[in-house]
Amino acid sequence: MTDRYAVIGNPIEQSKSPFIHLAFAKVAHQDMDYIKLLAPLDGFAAEVDAFRAAGGKGMNVTAPFKLDAFAYATDLAPSAQMAGAVNAMKFEGARVYAENFDGVGLVRDVVHNLGCPLQGKRVLVLGAGGATRGALLPMLAEQPSQLVVVNRTVAKAQELASLAQQHQLGAVPVVGLGYEQLQGHQFDVVFNATSASLTAQLPPLPASVFAPGALAYELAYGKGLTPFLKLAQQAGVTHLADGVGMLAEQAAEAFAWWRGVRPDTTDVICQLTVPLV
Ligand code: NDP
């Protein structure tokens, strides 16, 4: 019997998840199917119920249903609890196990694929939405020397920073700031986790934040040189990356969780990469 998996969202046409998981399945010799499921905005639970009733084994969850999946799950992993959102589910009888692999996927991409350890680095994260929420604890586990979250709505940055400060295992200083407070500060790794790039906008980031030798990482993917990456390039940053590796790595984490085999992501990243020009 072929095991069935899916990604659920609205819209869903753009999703690369079936391509990624079917490529992993082929290489790992796994007998599995993976489809796209378009759920009505008010119909997440009904769609998941039907998929489970038909024998579905697991699901990835994308916008706008990550909070619905959080409410739907019976067993939330710490990653999902901290993120307040779910991006992967596993179905076993009446149990719905839920994880959020976005943060761990991001960190794995940076540390392993890009060869940029976060240990001892000054790290800046732009944005305080779902992606940042999921990424803070995995970043802190790498023991940077400091972690600053900056957001347009400053209170959200402060709230997330204090949550992460409380839940981390180490003692890395974590602060939440507004963009104007970044003047005079420099960072070794700067992540753009705002959604500004999706509409070709640039957060009000001073170009002086990039330290010599910095990595500028755009979480959005497939958009080429976004305004954020352009700003970094103009500031002299040569190490630029987008979120294609994060996408592949969070998928690999889910695949390993479902199937017990961790696939290599190199081919998938290569095939999905859009040049940063
Ligand atoms: P959310 O909608 O949860 O959060 C958006 C954040 O962006 C908020 O902090 C918001 O600030 C900020 N923002 C939006 N527009 C601007 C702007 N013009 N200037 C400054 N700040 C702005 O989004 P997500 O956290 O879910 O996603 C963030 C990014 O991460 C997206 O680009 C998404 O595509 C990417 N992503 C990539 C993944 C991957 O696998 N590569 C996985 C998940 C996300 P405020 O609070 O003030 O409104």
Side-chain angles (χ1 to χ4, degrees), residues 63 66 87 102 106 126-133 150-154 156-157 179 192-199 201-204 217-221 223 242-248 250:
K66 291 183 180 184
N87 91 326
D102 283 338
L106 171 62
L126 319 182
T132 299
R133 236 187 131 96
V150 65
N151 197 42
R152 196 169 55 175
T153 312
V154 184
K156 272 168 72 181
Y179 284 95
N192 183 14
T194 73
S195 52
S197 307
L198 303 180
T199 49
Q201 291 183 318
L202 180 65
Y217 191 108
E218 170 71 72
L219 269 69
Y221 56 87
K223 306 224 161 281
D242 76 359
V244 66
M246 171 183 180
L247 177 73
Q250 65 75 28

Side-chain angles (χ1 to χ4, degrees), residues 13 27 43 47 125 142 195 211 222 230 234:
E13 211 34 60
V27 174
E47 203 70 35
V125 182
E142 299 296 310
S195 52
K230 227 174 264 176
Q234 283 161 3

Side-chain angles (χ1 to χ4, degrees), residues 18-36:
F19 169 82
I20 296 173
H21 282 282
L22 292 173
F24 289 162
K26 196 169 171 195
V27 174
H29 306 293
Q30 297 291 303
D31 185 12
M32 60 184 275
D33 186 22
Y34 191 110
I35 59 167
K36 290 176 187 173

Side-chain angles (χ1 to χ4, degrees), residues 101-118 135 138-139 142 191 217 245-254 256 262-266 269:
F101 293 121
D102 283 338
V104 74
L106 171 62
V107 168
R108 197 174 158 94
D109 186 40
V110 172
V111 175
H112 289 264
N113 300 341
L114 302 176
C116 176
L118 296 180
M139 285 178 186
E142 299 296 310
F191 292 100
Y217 191 108
M246 171 183 180
L247 177 73
E249 293 299 339
Q250 65 75 28
E253 293 291 327
R262 198 178 200 291
D264 184 73
T265 53
T266 316
I269 292 175

Side-chain angles (χ1 to χ4, degrees), residues 4-70:
R4 301 186 66 214
Y5 296 86
V7 56
I8 189 166
N10 185 336
I12 198 61
E13 211 34 60
Q14 79 294 345
S15 176
K16 308 278 187 232
S17 292
F19 169 82
I20 296 173
H21 282 282
L22 292 173
F24 289 162
K26 196 169 171 195
V27 174
H29 306 293
Q30 297 291 303
D31 185 12
M32 60 184 275
D33 186 22
Y34 191 110
I35 59 167
K36 290 176 187 173
L37 273 183
L38 176 69
L41 293 177
D42 60 354
F44 173 82
E47 203 70 35
V48 183
D49 286 347
F51 186 75
R52 288 170 66 199
K57 296 271 185 201
M59 240 185 215
N60 283 121
V61 182
T62 189
F65 296 128
K66 291 183 180 184
L67 297 179
D68 298 76
F70 185 87

